[in-house]
Amino acid sequence: QVRLVESGGGLVQAGGSLRLSCLASGGAVSDYAMGWFRQAPGKEREFVGRIIRSGPIYYGDSMKDRFAISRDNAKNMVHLQMNNLEPEDTAVYYCAADEAPYGSRRAETYEYWGQGTQVTVSS
């Protein structure tokens, strides 16, 4: 099974950018649908986006064009580029792997999860 470790979170001012990374071991990111989710205190875990095995990328409706997912098969990593961050983006961000070829928007369908990385956006 695959192990996932997120990194790249931190504290930024509104309007700033962060690039999150998810390093996989024990499995190839190209063998899973790789999802990004976020969860703020007291809120449901929210779908950010996913890249499916064959490469197409899908985003949550609320993510707009500020977020971009990419996959680096050589490094066995998935990234989430976040631009023009807002205080409402403050959350713990998780990467996850789904053995289903297409993955889904639902967190409960993903079998493997990282520990998460904190993103805090100050106003």
Side-chain angles (χ1 to χ4, degrees), residues 87-104:
E88 292 74 19
D89 296 316
T90 295
V92 177
Y93 284 71
Y94 300 89
C95 67
D98 193 338
E99 292 178 347
Y102 305 146
S104 79

Side-chain angles (χ1 to χ4, degrees), residues 17-65:
S17 298
L18 283 175
R19 183 173 183 257
L20 307 184
S21 298
C22 176
L23 175 64
S25 59
V29 293
S30 59
D31 288 340
Y32 301 87
M34 298 296 301
W36 284 98
F37 294 81
R38 68 185 186 185
Q39 189 165 23
K43 298 182 66 177
E44 298 284 334
R45 188 161 296 190
E46 181 182 20
F47 173 72
V48 174
R50 73 184 191 273
I51 179 169
I52 65 175
R53 289 186 183 183
S54 57
I57 299 169
Y58 305 91
Y59 297 98
D61 292 338
S62 63
M63 301 304 119
K64 306 170 185 175
D65 292 325

Side-chain angles (χ1 to χ4, degrees), residues 12-17 66 82-87 89 121-123:
V12 297
Q13 296 285 333
S17 298
R66 298 183 298 120
M82 304 186 295
N83 299 320
N84 196 23
L85 286 162
E86 304 169 355
D89 296 316
V121 185
S122 60
S123 58

